[in-house]
């Protein structure tokens, strides 16, 4: 069975992984997930991108929202508000169980990767869901309102502040989590999901062992562009690129992943300058499950060109 490793952030990446999971021809999937969005909130360790993967692959995700669970209730948040607790980051009642249990197990010394693997097994998820590292790496953004931790920027400030610099605190001393290097070196294909390259993929690439494994890997590496119709489907990608002085086009995406990727899958309508890498085309907007399967198959087809 073909072994596919996917570097992924949250929403966009989860769609691609779900597509891989629903292909007629099954593949062995290892999702290597960004953990630099993680943060401590109300004494809890929250791992948003891991949670989006777990919810999506177990069919529990709130598809429209892209995070959290379908059919969620909000009694906890309402009670928190009554008591004057911070309610800018919405924690649903069922979602809370995952954060509380993860935090308790981290507190007793368990590794994030162990806990994540256990949750995935409890929810009969067949793909491997691997945090990029068990060490702490945190995305911080220098903005026109000062330095912001990722969730403060993304949720509390709704991506409004102008970003001048992005840093991944702790990255250079972070070690790849167990199974990550093996998944990359053992992969027939490595896919970079259509997550935000600058906020969700870069934190994975800067973990020393992971960059090294990608360079050593014999696998074809294919990125799926996060741009559809010349703009980002969701989230701040296009706005961020503008603020960082990067042209919002696929040439910039290809340049960002230069020397790492063998091919780039772009949306049918979007221009890209032919260069050294192979270019694949499909309708990359993923709304239905068929869309997700189509993009997954197109990415694997590009890898085998
Ligand atoms: N994103 C929001 O825009 N608003 C929220 O209130 C929110 C709560 C939340 C709770 C748990 C969780 O795992 C994710 C949550 N997210 C929320 C998404 C989170 O900000 C992610 O980091 C983004 O999806 C980007 O990866």
């Amino acid at each position: 069975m073909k072994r596919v490793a996917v570097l992924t952030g949250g929403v966009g990446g989860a769609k691609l992984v779900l597509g891989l999971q629903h292909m007629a021809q099954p593949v062995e999937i290892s999702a290597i997930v960004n953990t630099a969005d993680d943060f401590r909130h109300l004494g809890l360790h929250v791992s948003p991108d891991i949670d989006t993967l777990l919810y999506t692959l177990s069919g529990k995700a709130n598809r429209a929202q892209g995070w959290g669970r379908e059919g969620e209730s909000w009694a906890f948040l309402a009670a928190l508000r009554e008591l004057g607790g911070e309610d800018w980051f919405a924690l649903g009642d069922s979602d809370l169980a995952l954060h509380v249990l993860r935090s308790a197990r981290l507190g007793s010394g368990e590794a994030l990767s162990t806990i994540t693997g256990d949750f995935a097994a409890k929810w009969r998820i067949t793909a491997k869901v691997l945090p990029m590292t068990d060490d702490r790496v945190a995305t911080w953004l220098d903005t026109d309102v000062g330095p912001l931790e990722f969730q403060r920027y993304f949720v509390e400030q709704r991506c409004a502040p102008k970003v001048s610099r992005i840093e991944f605190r702790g990255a250079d001393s972070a070690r790849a989590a167990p199974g990550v290097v093996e998944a990359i070196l053992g992969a027939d294909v490595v896919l970079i999901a259509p997550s935000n390259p600058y906020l969700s993929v870069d934190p994975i690439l800067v973990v020393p062992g992971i960059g090294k494994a990608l360079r050593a890997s014999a696998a074809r590496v294919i990125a799926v562009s996060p741009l559809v119709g010349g703009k980002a489907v969701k989230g701040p990608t296009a706005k961020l690129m503008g603020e960082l002085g990067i042209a919002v086009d696929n040439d910039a995406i290809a340049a960002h992943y230069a020397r790492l990727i063998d091919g780039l899958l772009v949306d049918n309508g979007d221009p890209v300058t032919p260069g050294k890498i192979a270019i694949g085309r499909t309708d990359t907007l993923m709304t239905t499950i068929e869309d997700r399967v189509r993009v997954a198959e197109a990415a694997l087809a590009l890898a085998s060109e």
Side-chain angles (χ1 to χ4, degrees):
M1 188 182 282
K2 187 176 280 194
R3 291 163 300 181
V4 181
V6 188
L7 306 187
T8 177
V11 185
K15 290 181 179 175
L16 178 67
V17 178
L18 196 64
L20 287 167
Q21 197 167 277
H22 282 74
M23 293 189 315
Q25 190 73 16
V27 293
E28 191 187 301
I29 303 165
S30 297
I32 298 164
V33 190
N34 169 42
T35 56
D37 286 9
D38 292 16
F39 78 132
R40 286 204 74 75
H41 183 58
L42 302 172
L44 298 170
H45 180 110
V46 180
S47 299
D49 286 350
I50 287 182
D51 296 350
T52 295
L53 261 289
L54 291 174
Y55 288 143
T56 301
L57 298 182
S58 63
K60 294 174 170 52
N62 178 323
R63 304 265 289 268
Q65 197 171 257
W67 53 270
R69 294 181 64 147
E70 196 59 57
E72 185 60 279
S73 58
W74 303 94
F76 163 77
L77 199 64
L80 182 75
R81 206 170 282 131
E82 276 169 23
L83 288 167
E86 288 191 85
D87 63 350
W88 59 274
F89 193 78
L91 291 172
D93 297 333
S94 309
D95 189 33
L96 198 52
L98 194 152
H99 306 305
V100 168
L101 190 53
R102 173 190 287 128
S103 305
R105 292 177 65 169
L106 284 170
S108 60
E110 274 191 271
L112 182 61
S113 49
T114 311
I115 301 163
T116 304
D118 187 31
F119 289 172
K122 289 275 185 317
W123 286 349
R124 300 196 195 345
I125 293 172
T126 47
K128 284 199 202 78
V129 181
L130 305 171
M132 67 187 197
T133 178
D134 283 334
D135 300 319
R136 278 304 291 128
V137 178
T139 300
W140 279 77
L141 302 103
D142 286 349
T143 78
D144 55 352
V145 295
L148 288 174
E149 191 181 15
F150 179 82
Q151 296 300 338
R152 294 279 175 179
Y153 163 76
F154 188 83
V155 179
E156 191 178 45
Q157 306 290 332
R158 304 212 172 289
C159 308
K162 254 174 74 57
V163 175
S164 55
R165 196 172 76 89
I166 305 169
E167 60 173 331
F168 307 116
R169 293 187 184 174
D172 42 18
S173 56
R175 293 154 296 171
V180 168
V181 170
E182 294 82 349
I184 292 171
L185 294 180
D188 300 299
V189 179
V190 174
L191 299 182
I192 298 182
S195 303
N196 185 313
Y198 315 94
L199 290 176
S200 303
V201 180
D202 278 356
I204 305 173
L205 300 178
V206 298
V207 174
I210 296 179
K212 195 160 156 276
L214 284 166
R215 285 188 295 278
S217 162
R220 303 268 289 165
V221 181
I222 302 293
V224 178
S225 175
L227 302 179
V228 176
K231 55 185 186 308
V233 178
K234 210 173 131 71
T237 304
K239 174 176 180 285
L240 186 70
M241 290 171 83
E243 289 164 0
L244 296 175
I246 301 168
V248 184
D249 60 30
N250 282 312
D251 289 351
I253 302 297
H256 187 71
Y257 292 135
R259 289 180 308 288
L260 178 66
I261 62 174
D262 302 295
L264 179 67
L265 182 66
V266 302
D267 191 40
N268 277 327
D270 284 355
V272 58
T273 309
K276 289 184 285 301
I277 61 170
I279 299 297
R281 287 187 176 285
T282 188
D283 173 1
T284 53
L285 187 62
M286 294 186 274
T287 310
T288 65
I289 186 63
E290 291 76 19
D291 292 339
R292 290 162 167 76
V293 170
R294 179 185 64 247
V295 175
E297 285 176 341
L300 293 181
L302 184 55
S304 52
E305 260 179 26

